[in-house]
Amino acid sequence: MSRSQETARRLGAAQAALEALPPAVLRVAERFAREGHEFALVGGPVRDACLGIPPHDMDFTTSARPDETLAILTATGATTWDIGKEFGTIGASYQGITVEVTTYRSDEYDPDSRKPQVAFGDTLEGDLTRRDFTVNAMAVRLPSLELVDPCGGLEDLVDGILRTPIDPHISFSDDPLRIMRAARFTAQLGFDVDEGTMSAMAELADRLDIVSAERIRAELERLMTAKEPRRGIEIMEYTGVAEKVLPEVAALKSTVDEHGRHKDVYEHTLTVVDQAIDLETDENGPVPGPDFVLRFAALMHDVGKPATRQFGPRGKVTFHQHDIVGAKMTRKRMKELRFDKQTIKDVSRLVELHQRFHGYGEAVWTDSAVRRYVNDAGPLLERLHRLTRADSTTRNHRKAMRLQAAYDDLEQRIAELEEKEELAAVRPDLDGAQIMEILDIKPGPAVGRARAFLLELRLENGPLDPAEAERLLRAWAEENL
């Protein structure tokens, strides 16, 4: 298909998607027009329409000033709220749709801050040129459905290119978060970054220092849950952005071994991310994709290797305890990026446990060892299954088949023990109230120690009948309390 034919196809897709806009949107647009103001759908929704994706999370821009926008929306009967009036944005809910309407802007930036000095603009074309990338700098005038594309966004969309509407050095210097957005859109859209834009990303990566950790984290989450995270990670590493955002991942490049004594840990990591994604389930499965915890654990699982690499006799390379070291590094990095406590706990725990399976195929695990594996994984067990399987990237077919068979066997044993013992809910055979009654003690540390003893028995031996559990508890208490 020629470029002109592909452009025509994209325009047709956009037309079809936009003609399906809710009637309420067109009624709002008509009201703005009657009041003498322009009104347009802008940004991501227009880009998605050109990709044949029905617009959602609709953003609009208008020539009306914020107070005028508020008055017009109120007159339509919409419920309105101020979500950023000083930045020109008014939110509204009208006949079942939620919209954000922003006055045309022509911002100026303080070089020491990414917060713009807001100035309202007078033209739609001027508003579009201040946006991050040309594919996001398209608008559709409403209600006429006229496409406005002053920066060549449609051509770049057809070519699969990310490019800034103005000089990328100016764009990224004004708002350094756009550097992260470039990586994210690469992963989300599958587009390439044009050469000039990529060079500016590398030259201005240090500008990310003025961006809040929370904003960087949000872009990283979107990147990792996009369609092709690998593309975004690769562009971050290539431009040096990873050294600012995820230096532990960038450091994996340092383990490349020109003598071939061990595999390329960086390339291995990217493959593990891809394979973990392939093992996600649909919404009805145990790990519905996209699953950030699984994907980020796959990305971070070997970050402890550079710090633990040692060369032994005859060039043998080892990474002893890289799982433990990597878990600590992951926890530290995620705290600095302001992730929530549960996500930090889950991801770092998976990194810590990802090596636990290795050796299962060489030495038969006892039922106790299987119980401990399940207990240590807890609610992360299904993710751990997938991370462990994804971590096999060997090109040795026999070794790969042997690892797969070993893990199949482990999962089968877990299923068999689960059926007999309810492994997912392993608890001591006596609860806290029973412990206090049997030992005639009050709530306190002694109860916790007794409970830990009983849990250890449960993991080692499986379920005990209450009488046997009581006998063993009393014997333990005589020596320890």
Side-chain angles (χ1 to χ4, degrees), residues 150-285:
C151 305
L154 183 59
E155 290 183 2
D156 286 345
L157 187 145
V158 169
D159 293 338
I161 292 293
L162 279 179
R163 183 171 57 86
T164 56
I166 60 175
D167 183 327
H169 295 84
I170 297 174
S171 181
F172 292 153
S173 183
D174 283 348
D175 185 356
L177 187 64
R178 289 171 178 166
I179 296 171
M180 281 296 298
R181 287 170 66 83
R184 189 251 290 187
F185 281 122
T186 297
Q188 179 180 324
L189 301 174
F191 287 4
D192 294 322
V193 180
D194 91 304
E195 186 175 344
T197 302
M198 196 182 320
S199 295
M201 289 174 69
E203 292 171 30
L204 295 169
D206 285 344
R207 289 282 290 162
L208 285 166
D209 289 342
I210 69 170
V211 181
S212 71
E214 290 83 358
R215 287 180 175 273
I216 289 176
R217 182 207 68 226
E219 289 299 328
L220 185 59
E221 287 177 314
R222 294 185 184 109
L223 185 158
M224 289 304 301
T225 53
K227 184 179 179 181
E228 299 180 73
R230 181 179 187 136
R231 296 178 66 97
I233 298 162
E234 288 177 328
I235 195 70
M236 287 174 62
E237 191 284 323
Y238 183 78
T239 57
V241 172
E243 292 181 12
K244 304 294 296 183
V245 177
L246 290 173
E248 299 82 2
V249 174
L252 295 176
K253 278 282 192 176
S254 70
T255 62
V256 173
D257 178 11
E258 68 275 15
H259 301 295
R261 289 167 293 189
H262 63 83
K263 62 191 171 188
D264 182 333
V265 180
Y266 174 72
E267 287 297 328
H268 162 76
T269 293
L270 297 182
T271 301
V272 173
V273 172
D274 287 339
Q275 293 184 166
I277 291 170
D278 290 341
L279 292 172
E280 291 174 339
T281 66
D282 62 21
E283 60 184 11
N284 297 315

Side-chain angles (χ1 to χ4, degrees), residues 279 286 357 360 365 370 373-374 381-390 403-419 423:
L279 292 172
F357 160 74
Y360 177 85
W365 281 11
V370 175
Y373 186 81
V374 173
L381 182 62
E382 290 291 346
R383 289 185 174 112
L384 182 58
H385 286 334
R386 284 154 178 78
L387 177 58
T388 302
R389 288 184 181 277
L403 287 170
Q404 179 176 324
Y407 209 83
D408 287 344
D409 183 68
L410 175 57
E411 286 202 53
Q412 179 62 34
R413 289 188 62 195
I414 290 172
E416 291 170 355
L417 282 174
E418 170 65 33
E419 186 175 352
L423 285 187

Side-chain angles (χ1 to χ4, degrees), residues 66 81-91 101-102 105 118 120:
W81 54 89
D82 177 2
I83 59 174
K85 189 175 178 182
E86 68 274 22
F87 295 102
T89 302
I90 304 296
V101 183
T102 302
R105 283 167 49 175
V118 177
F120 297 131

Side-chain angles (χ1 to χ4, degrees), residues 340-379:
D340 65 274
K341 291 181 179 179
Q342 189 62 52
T343 302
I344 294 173
K345 180 180 178 181
D346 289 347
V347 172
S348 58
R349 185 61 167 159
L350 284 172
V351 173
E352 182 181 351
L353 293 174
H354 84 273
Q355 283 286 101
R356 184 72 63 87
F357 160 74
H358 293 282
Y360 177 85
E362 289 139 22
V364 177
W365 281 11
T366 62
D367 285 352
S368 172
V370 175
R371 292 188 196 100
R372 292 176 191 280
Y373 186 81
V374 173
N375 186 69
D376 289 346

Side-chain angles (χ1 to χ4, degrees), residues 111-125:
D112 297 321
S113 170
R114 73 165 298 273
K115 293 183 179 179
Q117 299 170 356
V118 177
F120 297 131
D122 297 314
T123 67
L124 176 57
E125 289 78 5

